[in-house]
Amino acid sequence: MHSFVKTLLAAGAVLLAFSVPAHAETISPKRLLEVVDIGNPVISPDGSKVAYRTEQASVERNTYDTIWYVQELGGDSPPHRVADGGLTLRDSAGQAMPAPATWSPDGRWIYYRALVDGKIDVWRAAVDGSGSEPMTLDAANVRDFALDADGRVLKYSVGATREEVIEAEQAEYDRGIRIDSTVPLGQNLFRSGNLEGRLATQRYGKVWFDHAPLLADRPDRWTAIDLATRKRRDLADSEIPSPRLEPSKLNPDAFKLASDPQSGRVALLVRTGHGYGLLYKPYVELVVLSGPKDKRPVRCVSELCTKKEITGIQWRPGGDEVLFTVTDPHEGTGQSIFRWNVGSGQVRLVVQARGLVSGGRDRSSDCGVSAEALACVVAEADRPPRLERIDLESGHRQVLFDPNPALARDMAASAPSQLLRWTDASGEEFTGWFFPARKKGDSPSPLFVTYYSCTGFLRGGVGDEWPLASLAESGISALCINSAPYHIDAAVRYGLGLSAVESVVAKLASNGEIDRTRVGMGGLSFGSEVTLWTLMKSDLLAAASVTSPVTSLNYYLLGSMKGEQFFSGLKKLWQLGAPDKTLARWKMLSPTLNLDKIKAPILMQMPEQEYIHALDYAIPLIREHRADLYVFPNEPHQKFQPKHKLAAYERNLDWFRFWLQGHEDPNPAKAEQYKHWEAMCDAQKTNRPDSPASCVGTKSKRQPL
């Protein structure tokens, strides 16, 4: 496919490569997985062009293809492929990291970090597509880089060399690895996790359970390259680029900033209001400082920017306007972009979208910006991403690049979504995106629910593991619920999740849209926590699926090795201490001590780095034919290998069709899977006659749909 696309691009027909009709008519899990994502749009210094990168999974090769494009911002010509982007750089949780390009001042080149052949270098690509090349060629992976103001010198930083890291790993292997508070327990200790494009030995980083390679604490070493002569020299401390200004250094409640390179002014987003038990203050204030030492901020006081969930800020080049993005929870996290004139105080709407309008999949990522226009990635729950030009004065929108037209058409025809709004008995407001089941007849459909965050194109909830559109096409309505504000008290925040599910099930059932006796639920991380809480505290679910471990005695034992950082986090966010000291709280929260309350079958598809934390409740459930556990090697918190993701997608689809519809895929390769589930079904009927599961027994008893 890569060679085919390259040939078409050379012929000037890039759009054709992405508009070939799909072979399958349905919205299959594979089609959802292989969506072309767009990210990191950056506009050239003269405002005439935009550079951006695409990313697409390849199941067959178990990798992601990334390509850098440059396109005229007027949209009169198709995008021009200028370089491969290398392997996707990811954080230790498995999420893709932003990788924006830096334009040369003359607009002839873009510079970007890329992971190619196991090395992270700064690359340079010619905007006319004539070629790309690595510029740094360092023995260590590049951590950061910057161009000087005239584009003649490239400065970059590195840590330990790749050879030094490999030697440190081997030395540990040979001597034995000493277990201390930095060692991630519950996974293989030698080269077991993907970091910087290779299986590496890991250590805990500075934040909770994040991971880092060996020697990650090696201080930065900065080098300068004269781009005309290619000569290198080490930088003196006085020449090193200033570190990025941290928002909290300017205001303890600030969480995001944007600096105006021309005036030195700084725009800040500051959390305000009374928390009332929330982890974060409920409102966001937009302010501008004349400089980092300014103590008299200018505040945006318009009703359009007060008591709003502002998630992004940028300066409009060459003027006095700050562009800010509001992510509206009442609109299912739909986004709007406004411009605020700091001098006059006037605020005007630029664009209002049904979904994301940002710089990628992250709702807080930045659009490309020039004095006249934005270049934004736009995506809705039922429409895959495309790149749009948005005029800052008129708000006029123009699609520059749509790499997923066939999927967009099929989603519109087969799996359109609806925004739901509802309140629970206490008056708490919720929103979610609902994919009604395609069904035969008038009988209510089963329902699948996931709870956490529902932003952008919904291919499967947070973590992308539950194919919502595929479920709907198979006759199971699917709903993604946006979580309530995050309460510090774990029982309160879990209770809100349960209340959201209970109230929306009642709403949909009363309208005759779903069958309240056939409800399934799944989630990752916080979504897994709420799913297990719903299992323990209600009889609402007929089947469940989780990917992440939750608080358990095993989790406490393994995490306790981290010491005070773990204990303080556990106390703050779960109000848990040592099990023998806070036993009542453990009995309330942990599934380990509530196995008798779990009545529905559970599918567990967990990453190798985490599954061991769940074994003290998973093993008893497996032994009693109440759970089925699959573990994916070398995967972190969010699985990312395409083959693993497709397997999880397809198994979740099979799982909920089995338990909510009594359906089995006749594919012989899945016979062993159904053999296990049939045994679970028989055990449910024999040992737990009160179970809400709606399977109907063994295969010989089951009637085809």
Side-chain angles (χ1 to χ4, degrees), residues 111-112 120-124 133-140 142 144-158 221-236 239 241:
Y111 293 80
Y112 53 93
I120 302 176
D121 282 301
V122 176
W123 284 66
R124 182 173 77 172
E133 61 177 329
M135 303 300 294
T136 48
L137 296 173
D138 202 282
V142 174
D144 199 3
F145 77 95
L147 279 179
D148 67 353
D150 58 12
R152 296 178 180 178
V153 176
L154 171 66
K155 300 177 181 180
Y156 70 93
S157 67
V158 298
R221 173 173 53 83
W222 282 88
T223 299
I225 301 176
D226 184 302
L227 294 175
T229 65
R230 302 298 176 96
K231 291 183 178 179
R232 299 167 183 255
R233 64 181 180 85
D234 294 335
L235 287 180
E239 298 176 291

Side-chain angles (χ1 to χ4, degrees), residues 243-259:
R244 291 178 177 85
L245 191 61
E246 293 295 330
S248 59
K249 296 291 181 63
L250 302 179
N251 185 309
D253 290 317
F255 65 94
K256 191 165 188 178
L257 66 76
S259 298

Side-chain angles (χ1 to χ4, degrees), residues 679-696:
M680 292 176 67
C681 182
D682 289 339
Q684 289 282 121
K685 296 301 181 184
T686 301
N687 302 324
R688 304 185 70 84
D690 59 338
S691 169
S694 61
C695 70
V696 292

Side-chain angles (χ1 to χ4, degrees), residues 291-360:
K293 296 182 179 181
D294 184 9
K295 302 300 182 183
R296 301 179 63 183
V298 177
R299 290 178 169 82
C300 184
V301 296
S302 166
E303 63 178 11
L304 296 174
C305 58
T306 55
K307 295 188 176 181
K308 305 294 184 183
E309 189 169 338
I310 305 176
T311 53
I313 46 172
Q314 292 176 274
W315 284 92
R316 183 178 183 178
D320 290 329
E321 289 188 339
V322 174
L323 307 173
F324 65 93
T325 301
V326 172
T327 303
D328 192 345
H330 302 293
E331 296 297 329
T333 65
Q335 292 190 317
S336 301
I337 298 177
F338 299 83
R339 50 190 179 94
W340 168 43
N341 188 295
V342 179
S344 69
Q346 188 177 53
V347 176
R348 291 184 177 178
L349 175 68
V350 175
V351 64
Q352 186 172 20
R354 181 170 170 257
L356 281 186
V357 52
S358 65

Side-chain angles (χ1 to χ4, degrees), residues 224-495:
I225 301 176
D226 184 302
L227 294 175
T229 65
R230 302 298 176 96
K231 291 183 178 179
R232 299 167 183 255
R233 64 181 180 85
D234 294 335
L235 287 180
D237 291 345
S238 60
E239 298 176 291
I240 293 174
S242 300
R244 291 178 177 85
L245 191 61
E246 293 295 330
S248 59
K249 296 291 181 63
L250 302 179
N251 185 309
D253 290 317
F255 65 94
K256 191 165 188 178
L257 66 76
S259 298
D260 180 4
Q262 295 174 318
S263 67
R265 291 173 295 182
V266 178
L268 278 179
L269 294 182
V270 182
R271 299 191 189 279
T272 64
H274 296 289
Y276 300 115
L278 298 176
L279 182 60
Y280 300 113
K281 294 179 179 180
Y283 305 125
V284 176
E285 184 178 57
L286 171 58
V287 304
V288 164
L289 307 175
S290 62
K293 296 182 179 181
D294 184 9
K295 302 300 182 183
R296 301 179 63 183
V298 177
R299 290 178 169 82
C300 184
V301 296
S302 166
E303 63 178 11
L304 296 174
C305 58
T306 55
K307 295 188 176 181
K308 305 294 184 183
E309 189 169 338
I310 305 176
T311 53
I313 46 172
Q314 292 176 274
W315 284 92
R316 183 178 183 178
D320 290 329
E321 289 188 339
V322 174
L323 307 173
F324 65 93
T325 301
V326 172
T327 303
D328 192 345
H330 302 293
E331 296 297 329
T333 65
Q335 292 190 317
S336 301
I337 298 177
F338 299 83
R339 50 190 179 94
W340 168 43
N341 188 295
V342 179
S344 69
Q346 188 177 53
V347 176
R348 291 184 177 178
L349 175 68
V350 175
V351 64
Q352 186 172 20
R354 181 170 170 257
L356 281 186
V357 52
S358 65
R361 294 192 65 182
D362 186 340
R363 67 179 190 172
S364 62
S365 58
D366 293 330
C367 297
V369 61
S370 71
E372 290 79 29
L374 293 168
C376 300
V377 182
V378 182
E380 290 89 38
D382 54 5
R383 185 173 174 185
R386 67 271 183 199
L387 186 72
E388 292 190 8
R389 180 192 188 277
I390 302 170
D391 188 273
L392 284 170
E393 293 294 331
S394 67
H396 175 71
R397 297 168 62 174
Q398 176 187 5
V399 175
L400 296 176
F401 182 53
D402 184 358
N404 304 292
L407 180 58
R409 288 194 299 269
D410 289 348
M411 289 288 295
S414 302
S417 66
Q418 305 169 7
L419 175 61
L420 295 186
R421 299 185 185 89
W422 70 98
T423 57
D424 65 9
S426 66
E428 185 76 31
E429 297 181 354
F430 296 97
T431 63
W433 289 99
F434 180 58
F435 293 79
R438 175 187 277 184
K439 57 186 180 181
K440 298 178 181 179
D442 298 325
S443 58
S445 68
L447 174 69
F448 169 79
V449 176
T450 185
Y451 180 89
Y452 199 168
S453 178
C454 313
T455 55
F457 179 56
L458 294 179
R459 46 208 102 179
V462 173
D464 297 335
E465 296 207 14
W466 297 270
L468 304 179
S470 303
L471 285 161
E473 276 210 326
S474 299
I476 300 174
S477 292
L479 173 65
C480 182
I481 302 176
N482 289 301
S483 62
Y486 195 94
H487 281 257
I488 293 177
D489 188 317
V492 172
R493 66 175 178 268
Y494 296 161

